[in-house]
Amino acid sequence: MNENVRPETMKRIETREQAEAFINEQVEAIRKQVGDGKVLLALSGGVDSSVVAALLIKAIGDQLTCIHVNHGLMRKGESQQVIDVFKEQLGANLIFIDATDRFLDKLAGVSDPETKRKIIGKEFIDVFAEEANKLSDIKFLGQGTIYPDILESDGVKSHHNVGGLPEDLDFELVEPVKLLFKDEVRQVGEALGLPLSMVYRQPFPGPGLGVRCTGAITRDRLEALREADAILREEFEKAGLAKTVWQYFVIVPDFKSTGITDGKRTFEWPAVIRAVNTKDAMSAAIERVDWDLLEKITDRITKEVSGINRVLYDLTPKPSATIEWE
Ligand code: XMP
């Protein structure tokens, strides 16, 4: 039997009871696989790695070490949430690396999207490997592989797996959710008691805000992007859109336009809002966001975010546009 193929007899996880039964099974399976060995896990704060971390903590507690790398391209508050949930609430061994300067220094002046992605991916692997090499006796690597990753492993994932893991580290993999679909991983996450904001987190690309701060990233524009994105997320959550819209975010492109604030002329960046719905990310339709909400967000962003004097809404489906701007 190929262990990477979901057996036809495997039921979909739809209820709390089914999620709990899965958790119990996996806790047993992890204990059996790992014994008294040590496991390392790269914890991004995304749904998949968070669920794997919570499962591993339940199964083997202290034998797990998590590494969270802040590449400086996280959304507002994200690294802090990882620390709060995993270190403070779940008591995990969590190594937190703030590698912001290292990433942003490497990215300075680089405007080509693919080169940016490669730098971010390679730097992530280097930082992770450096930390892993400082630890002794690690035998296993936890991974948040899910079933669509296995089904799509014909190249799609390689593009989307920037921020993935070092291949040269010699570990045996522990992949407890590899036969689950995303909605099932979420069920399991809820049953494990993870915060809903983590369990229902929208997809976020490995290179993070790096692909939304187009062209050569500068720290001031990145900060404007992070703040504008936080306002968009807050307002979408308040309006009840967080669970229904598949992906919504802000882009701050690398050009400026004229504006006027308090009677003074400005020359600042625009913030672009993008909100899309899709099943598989291969094509996407535009969310018809309520006009009043867009005006409210525009008002807040232009008033509260330094460096932005204009807000645009991206009306383009995929195709012709991709979901991300780079
Ligand atoms: P595009 O922009 O290609 O994106 O229409 C499709 C989906 O994939 C996400 N995406 C990425 N995810 N690393 C990732 O982990 C990446 O480099 C990457 N690029 C795009 C994007 O957010 C969307 O959900």
Side-chain angles (χ1 to χ4, degrees), residues 30-83:
I30 291 166
R31 286 182 183 152
K32 198 163 158 218
Q33 182 187 358
V34 168
D36 59 3
K38 288 192 190 164
V39 183
L40 187 63
L41 175 77
L43 180 57
S44 66
V47 190
D48 308 335
S49 66
S50 296
V51 168
V52 169
L55 268 173
L56 284 165
I57 291 168
K58 199 174 167 80
I60 55 163
D62 266 1
Q63 289 162 250
L64 173 72
T65 300
C66 302
I67 299 183
H68 175 71
V69 178
N70 175 11
H71 50 22
L73 305 164
M74 307 289 283
R75 290 173 297 187
K76 191 171 178 177
E78 240 165 4
S79 282
Q80 193 53 48
Q81 187 186 38
V82 172
I83 296 171

Side-chain angles (χ1 to χ4, degrees), residues 117 159-162 203-207 212 246-247 281 318 322-324 326:
R117 266 206 175 72
H159 161 64
H160 280 175
N161 217 13
V162 179
F204 187 56
R212 299 174 183 171
W246 197 75
Q247 215 172 1
K318 174 181 183 177
T322 47
I323 294 174
E324 303 291 345
E326 283 191 336

Side-chain angles (χ1 to χ4, degrees), residues 256-268 308-310:
K256 292 182 173 179
S257 71
T258 52
I260 186 139
T261 302
D262 298 332
K264 284 202 195 80
R265 197 182 132 92
T266 59
F267 188 52
E268 295 176 326
I308 292 187
N309 64 357
R310 196 182 282 274

